[in-house]
Structures are given as C-alpha cells and as structure tokens.
Amino acid sequence: QSVDSTELTRKQAEWAEETSDWSAAADLQVSAGNALQAVRLLHEHKPDGWIEKLSLIVRQVTAEDVLRQCARAFLANGDDERAKEVYVKLDDVESLLGLYVRKQDWEAALKLAEDPSGTFSEETRAKFDEALYLPYAEWLAVHDRFDEALEAYRKSGREDRAARMVQELTFNAVVESRFKDASYYYWLLASETLRVAAKKDNLQKVMSTYTEQLHRADLYYAYAHVEDFFLPYTPLRPEVLFQCARFLINGLGGKEAPFGISRAKILYTLAKQAKTCGAFKLARYAYDKLLRMKLPDAWRDEVDVEALTIHAAPLRDKSDLLPVCYRCGASNALLNPASSHSQGSSVHRDVCTSCGHPFVRSFLNFEVLPLIEFVPEASISDEEALDLIKEFPEDKNSGEGKEADVVFDDDDDEDRFTRAINDTLQAQAGADEYKPVTVDAETLRSLYRAEVFCCKPRQQGLRATYYKSAIPDVHMALSQSCHRFFHEDDFEYAVLKEGRCPYSRAKDVGDFGTV
C-alpha cells in the first residue's frame, strides 16, 4: 500500500507540473522521496516563496547531491547566507572558504583556514593557501596594505608575485621621490631573496644579490637625508648631512648611481656642509667635481663663486673630522681614494683604506661607531660562542670604561682580542682582501658581554655576526630586525616617536642591547 501511495503522489506531482503549479509539484516530489527533482523545479521556475521552500528542504534532507543542488540555487540567486548554511551542514570547508573569498569576507575566511582545531590534510591546506591567500594578497595590495599583502603572497606560495610587488613598489617610491620608502622596499626585497633561497637551499648562490640589495637600501636611506637638504627647511644638522654625503660618495664609488639618486645633489650637499664643518680640502674636491657637471641654472653662479672662494681657505681638513679605524688604528681620509676609480665595481668602499674593515655607522646621524667585527672559529657554533661570551671573565675590572688599546707590539700583557686583531692583520694580504677578526674559545671567554653585540642569523644555514665595542662608554643600540646600529639615545627616541625601528619599520624592536 505504501508503494501505491508513493506512486499516487508521483502522479499528482506530474499533474501539478502539467498545470504549471510548480510549488505544489515540488511539495509532492518531496513527499514522493524525489527531493532532487523538487529542487530543480523550484530553481528553474522560481514560484512564489521558492527560497523558503528550498530552505525547508535543506533542513529536512541529508542527501549530499540534494544539498549541493540547493547551495547552487542559493548562490545563483545571490543568497550567500543560505548557501553558507548548506556548506556548514555538509561540513564542506573548501566550498565554504570559496564562498567567503567571493564575498571578500576575509576575517571569516582567515578564521576558518587558520582554525587550529581543523584537521585538514596537507593537500587541503595547500588548496587553502592558493584559494585564499592569493586573492587576499591582491585585495590587500589594491587597498595599499603592502606589508600584509607580502605576507599573504608568501602564504600562497607565490614568492614570484611577492618579489614583483616589492620591485614595483620600489620603482614607484623612487619615481615619487619617497626615498625612505624605496629603502624600506629594497630591504624587504633583500629579506625576501634570502627567505626564498633558504627554502630552496641555495643561500650561497644569492648572497651577492642579497648584499647588493641591502647596499641599495642603505644608499636610498641616506639619500633621503640629502633630498631633505633641498627642502625650504630641514631639521638636519650640518654634521649629519656631511656624514650622509660622505657615506654616499664612498658607497657609490665609481659606479653609476642607482635610479633616482643624483650624484650632483650629493656633491653639492657635501661641498656646502664640508665648508661649514671645516673640511676645506674635501669641499674643494666637491666643487671641482661640480664644475665638470651640467648643473641647474640656479646652481651655476653660486657654484662658480664658491669654487673660487674656497681657494682662500686652508688646503686641509680639520684633523678631528678624519675617521679612525677602530680595528687597526689608522687615520683615514674623508673620502676613500678607491671610490674615484672603482668604475663598475660592486665593492662597498666605505671602509678603512688600511685594513678594509667596514665603517659601522649609526643609521640616524651616520657617524662612525666604535665597533670591531669578529667571528668565532668555524668549529665553534653560535650557541657555544654566546655561552662563552656570557661566562664571567677572569679579570673583569681590568678594561672597564677604557678605550680599547689597539697596538701592534708584542707586549706580554696585551689582551687576547688585541692579539687576535694583530694576527688577522698579519694574515690579511691588504685592504682589498678584508677578513674579519677570527677568535678562539679562550678569546671569547675573555670578552665582556656588555661590550659585545650579536647580529642573529637571518636564516638557518647562516652564521651570526659579532661586534665588539672599542669604547664601552659609547652606548649603542642594535636593531635585530635589520642589523643596523644606532646611538642608543637616538634609537630610543626614534622608537618612542615613531613606534617602530627607523630603518626596518619593525614595531617590535625587542632587545636592542649587547648580549
């Protein structure tokens, strides 16, 4: 009798279809156990109240094909909330995620994808990464949230898109004369280069590219100060502009300046500030260079006059302006002589002309800081090196508060670190073949932790870089996010003022002191 009843209901449904009573036909099809046909009828003919009838079917049935047909009908009608209800009932996380992405409901999509209680397979997780984070990254980029977009591109597995976005941002920043932004984007690009190389296990192959990108970030960062000099008002002191211009001339060498950086503006700034600071020989050099350039008409008369009057000044620079190398003790010229004839070279020339040790500068006022680079012996891991440095030294008070005494004699009482410096200098062929000071376990144990800075490795497979303060009374800060040094007071003020590291823009600066 039940079969007869079902057959009768089907016949009634067919009769209702013939008379175009679609709502009744759908109800009868459901009663006859053919919910899929009921959904098709409702979706195709859309009688009054058809959405509510579909919702009722969703609550009554459990068959997957029926529920998916309902979801498709809801989506076609633009009813995302009811479609969501279907996907939740099906526990179809992938379709639900696609729905959130289509609606640009990123908060819900991210919450779903990153739910720690979700037991998703690696294959499903990979689908999430591409289906969610790629469109999310593009949405973030359109809304000028570039840092978040970069992270989203990384999660989507599209490092190529991340690199391309940073390159475009860098180019646009330079075109718009936003040189600090250009510096920041170059730093991001360098970090991305290293991160991708670490994933592919080819760090050594990209180190030259990485170093060049970091160097360009430094150049643009310093050049932003030079551009500020040409504003109607600049708060920068002449000494800061002088050091920036020196850093740029040495850093550029004989190479062509990167796009957007004007060598003429650097030389003009250098000439004006060198004269103000008493570096008359350097000012004369800068004006001589400017006279050989095609200058703006507004500059020409002034440069001609200044180039003549500078000859009345002494033919020397103030001795207290000359940078001293804290590793070898040599006094250097204000400009590295190699900078004028290193055409095509990618070598960074802001180094000691005697031993090749790079000058470590504060990236707020660009003064040379009293730091000496060193590395532990290859057999000593970074963890072991830090443990040795943190050990209590045998003679703690012997050198506290005194300037490091870099000497070259063989006195028996010279400290171990000085001997390590002398050994490295003797083994090094010249300034062009610079090698950092290499120290053994006993030397590490003899160091005071309050005088040592450690730049933690950026990626696995790289070693940390260490610096020893040659003048402990000079308080310095190290930003671990970018491995740039600052005077401690200047850094703390900048972080309090801006709420982030002035170079890397990292909001969490962490521990910026010694080890």
Side-chain angles (χ1 to χ4, degrees):
Q1 185 173 356
S2 127
V3 172
D4 294 338
S5 173
T6 302
E7 186 63 29
L8 179 60
T9 305
R10 282 193 185 127
K11 292 292 184 182
Q12 288 177 318
E14 290 173 5
W15 178 80
E17 289 180 36
E18 289 175 4
T19 59
S20 301
D21 189 354
W22 308 113
S23 183
D27 290 341
L28 289 165
Q29 289 287 8
V30 172
S31 299
N34 194 1
L36 185 60
Q37 179 62 17
V39 173
R40 287 171 180 162
L41 288 172
L42 291 170
H43 184 203
E44 182 179 351
H45 299 286
K46 298 181 176 59
D48 291 342
W50 71 280
I51 288 291
E52 288 72 17
K53 286 184 178 293
L54 278 183
S55 297
L56 186 60
I57 292 172
V58 167
R59 296 184 183 97
Q60 290 175 343
V61 304
T62 57
E64 182 177 348
D65 56 343
V66 177
L67 291 172
R68 290 198 179 279
Q69 186 66 29
C70 290
R72 284 192 286 271
F74 288 140
L75 289 174
N77 195 52
D79 198 335
D80 293 337
E81 283 303 313
R82 284 188 167 91
K84 173 185 171 183
E85 182 184 340
V86 177
Y87 290 137
V88 169
K89 185 170 183 176
L90 286 168
D91 197 23
D92 186 351
V93 178
E94 189 173 345
S95 297
L96 188 58
L97 185 67
L99 175 63
Y100 287 143
V101 169
R102 190 170 69 81
K103 291 174 60 181
Q104 294 189 347
D105 187 354
W106 305 114
E107 183 178 355
L110 292 169
K111 184 178 179 180
L112 178 66
E114 296 172 0
D115 183 3
S117 63
T119 55
F120 309 126
S121 66
E122 288 298 322
E123 184 179 352
T124 303
R125 181 66 66 186
K127 287 180 181 178
F128 284 178
D129 290 347
E130 188 168 356
L132 168 61
Y133 290 108
L134 187 56
Y136 181 49
E138 292 169 352
W139 181 85
L140 289 168
V142 167
H143 289 80
D144 296 338
R145 294 164 62 179
F146 300 114
D147 291 347
E148 294 169 84
L150 182 62
E151 184 60 30
Y153 275 128
R154 288 172 182 164
K155 289 184 177 180
S156 73
R158 296 301 302 270
E159 287 88 355
D160 57 329
R161 292 274 191 98
R164 190 187 314 151
M165 184 191 75
V166 177
Q167 289 168 351
E168 290 173 358
L169 289 172
T170 306
F171 178 79
N172 292 338
V174 174
V175 168
E176 296 168 14
S177 298
R178 294 182 289 110
F179 295 104
K180 280 201 174 176
D181 287 344
S183 167
Y184 172 64
Y185 293 135
Y186 254 117
W187 176 78
L188 281 182
L189 187 60
S191 302
E192 189 67 12
T193 298
L194 204 62
R195 192 188 69 83
V196 173
K199 285 179 66 176
K200 297 178 180 178
D201 199 23
N202 62 347
L203 280 171
Q204 297 307 316
K205 292 181 181 178
V206 302
M207 288 311 293
S208 59
T209 302
Y210 168 72
T211 303
E212 179 61 24
Q213 288 168 341
L214 278 186
H215 182 48
R216 289 205 169 201
D218 292 347
L219 292 176
Y220 279 118
Y221 186 85
Y223 186 70
H225 294 347
V226 171
E227 280 289 322
D228 288 345
F229 177 60
F230 291 87
L231 297 175
Y233 168 75
T234 176
L236 297 174
R237 294 177 289 111
E239 294 82 359
V240 175
L241 292 166
F242 174 65
Q243 295 293 353
C244 281
R246 278 189 55 235
F247 170 78
L248 286 165
I249 292 295
N250 283 333
L252 288 173
K255 298 185 299 177
E256 183 179 353
F259 176 67
I261 292 182
S262 167
R263 193 182 289 268
K265 284 188 174 181
I266 298 170
L267 286 168
Y268 182 84
T269 305
L270 181 63
K272 298 280 286 185
Q273 307 311 322
K275 185 176 180 181
T276 301
C277 294
F280 302 113
K281 182 179 178 181
L282 180 58
R284 186 176 299 191
Y285 164 86
Y287 279 122
D288 286 345
K289 287 284 187 183
L290 285 169
L291 289 174
R292 299 184 188 132
M293 293 181 170
K294 186 175 181 180
L295 302 175
D297 293 338
W299 294 11
R300 176 56 63 184
D301 290 342
E302 180 189 354
V303 170
D304 286 342
V305 172
E306 292 289 346
L308 287 174
T309 57
I310 194 66
H311 287 277
L315 188 57
R316 63 180 181 277
D317 299 322
K318 281 186 178 179
S319 58
D320 58 351
L321 293 175
L322 301 179
V324 175
C325 175
Y326 290 95
R327 186 171 93 147
C328 69
S331 180
N332 285 251
L334 289 171
L335 290 186
N336 190 325
S339 297
S340 60
H341 55 76
S342 57
Q343 186 69 34
S345 170
S346 61
V347 178
H348 183 5
R349 302 311 307 177
D350 192 39
V351 300
C352 172
T353 55
S354 177
C355 70
H357 185 275
F359 289 119
V360 182
R361 293 182 179 269
S362 165
F363 268 75
L364 281 172
N365 59 22
F366 282 85
E367 291 179 0
V368 176
L369 297 174
L371 291 167
I372 303 169
E373 181 185 6
F374 70 92
V375 294
E377 290 179 341
S379 59
I380 303 174
S381 68
D382 289 329
E383 292 77 11
E384 292 170 336
L386 288 173
D387 288 342
L388 289 167
I389 293 169
K390 291 175 182 178
E391 284 186 19
F392 193 81
E394 295 176 356
D395 187 12
K396 182 176 180 181
N397 297 318
S398 61
E400 188 173 354
K402 296 181 181 179
E403 183 172 345
D405 186 17
V406 180
V407 295
F408 301 95
D409 55 25
D410 293 322
D411 292 343
D412 292 335
D413 59 349
E414 67 178 345
D415 62 45
R416 290 187 175 91
F417 191 75
T418 303
R419 287 201 297 270
I421 292 176
N422 293 336
D423 291 343
T424 303
L425 292 174
Q426 290 171 7
Q428 188 174 299
D432 290 334
E433 298 189 16
Y434 167 74
K435 295 178 182 176
V437 176
T438 303
V439 297
D440 58 19
E442 287 304 313
T443 305
L444 288 169
R445 190 176 284 113
S446 72
L447 297 175
Y448 296 90
R449 60 182 299 179
E451 298 176 5
V452 177
F453 293 89
C454 173
C455 297
K456 298 173 184 176
R458 294 182 179 277
Q459 294 291 340
Q460 261 189 330
L462 297 177
R463 292 295 303 267
T465 308
Y466 301 84
Y467 292 88
K468 181 183 182 300
S469 173
I471 308 178
D473 289 338
V474 176
H475 300 289
M476 293 166 281
L478 165 63
S479 176
Q480 287 292 348
S481 60
C482 57
H483 292 180
R484 296 296 178 269
F485 285 90
F486 308 85
H487 285 291
E488 187 176 62
D489 291 344
D490 293 343
F491 182 70
E492 289 177 343
Y493 178 76
V495 171
L496 287 172
K497 181 181 177 183
E498 301 176 20
R500 62 190 187 185
C501 169
Y503 188 96
S504 69
R505 303 186 181 181
K507 293 183 179 179
D508 182 10
V509 296
D511 184 7
F512 50 83
T514 57
V515 301

